Amino acid sequence: ETGHSVSNLIIRTITGTGLVLLVLAGLAYAPLGVGVLWLSGVLILYEVSRMHAQTRRTWLYASGLYTLGGIASRLLLGLPGGILVYKAMAGLVLVCVLYELYRRQLYDYKPVYYGLRLSVLLSSGLYLYHKSPETLLFGLVILWLTDTAAMIIGRFIGGPKLAPAISPGKTIAGSVGAWGIIALGGLALGYGWVPAIVSLAGQLGDLHESLAKRHAGVKDSSALLPGHGRVYDRLDSTLVGLPMLCILVV
């Protein structure tokens, strides 16, 4: 058992290091970054399709909508008044996430819904990268630090669960503690409340992914990442966090 745990930790570390290097390389070389961002969305749709026992044709259909929607949304940001339309689209995604979390029930799988919802993530990433790679990295660091701090604080302090019916592993102490660290750090460094808002949005995305797995009755959506499992689980916070950052900084 101990040997298996050590082996799994090594695999997780190697995979995690590889992902970090891939992200940094993508930030430094635009075509690679765009490709990684687009592929991440396609893989998430693949995992969601598997969770809902959908056909490959349905996955391809959703991926096509995701691609076209992402490109259209990105072009929209360059048109007069397009920013307001984009913010309305991103705001609608947030409302849908909040409503589903409130109901503790997801909408039935619809390629149009998932494809267009992920297209907001794609267009957000493209716009933030266009604004500056540092802005995109800023958002990713906030979300990664939130995830890590919440896990460490939650395990160290324990206490009441945040949403036991959705994600039994998350604690109130971990969630609030991580948010507090990000909020205080953002204020101290002169970023205002932007990091705190993005951090909160990321945690909502994390909870929503847990709800999606419970709704589908699965523990893991796939095992595409050795030692980590699913791409969706690694990027769940970005699905809400990056659009929120885009709303705040555009």
Side-chain angles (χ1 to χ4, degrees), residues 40-183:
S40 297
V42 171
L43 292 177
I44 289 174
L45 285 171
Y46 168 74
E47 292 173 334
V48 172
S49 296
R50 277 173 52 99
M51 285 196 295
H52 292 272
Q54 298 295 309
T55 64
R56 179 173 295 184
R57 181 177 179 180
T58 304
W59 164 54
L60 293 174
Y61 176 46
S63 298
L65 289 173
Y66 153 69
T67 303
L68 293 175
I71 294 173
S73 298
R74 174 62 188 92
L75 294 175
L76 182 67
L77 284 168
L79 298 176
I83 290 177
L84 293 178
V85 177
Y86 168 81
K87 288 187 175 184
M89 290 170 54
L92 181 60
V93 168
L94 179 59
V95 169
C96 288
V97 168
L98 289 172
Y99 182 64
E100 289 179 330
L101 285 172
Y102 172 75
R103 293 175 65 235
R104 297 184 184 177
Q105 183 73 26
L106 297 185
Y107 295 113
D108 290 334
Y109 181 83
K110 296 290 190 299
V112 173
Y113 171 60
Y114 278 94
L116 295 182
R117 184 179 149 211
L118 275 171
S119 70
V120 175
L121 169 67
L122 178 60
S123 59
S124 298
L126 292 175
Y127 186 83
L128 290 171
Y129 187 92
H130 175 73
K131 186 175 178 64
S132 76
E134 292 78 13
T135 303
L136 179 56
L137 180 60
F138 172 70
L140 293 174
V141 168
I142 291 172
L143 297 171
W144 290 339
L145 287 178
T146 299
D147 288 345
T148 302
M151 180 183 66
I152 294 174
I153 295 172
R155 289 184 178 179
F156 182 75
I157 297 178
K161 302 299 182 182
L162 177 65
I166 298 175
S167 182
K170 294 180 175 61
T171 65
I172 294 176
S175 177
V176 175
W179 182 84
I181 290 173
I182 297 297

Side-chain angles (χ1 to χ4, degrees), residues 188-219:
L189 294 174
Y191 293 113
W193 288 99
V194 171
I197 297 173
V198 172
S199 173
L200 179 59
Q203 293 197 52
L204 291 175
D206 194 352
L207 276 176
H208 191 267
E209 191 262 351
S210 297
L211 178 62
K213 288 189 296 180
R214 291 201 167 272
H215 178 70
V218 299
K219 184 178 184 224

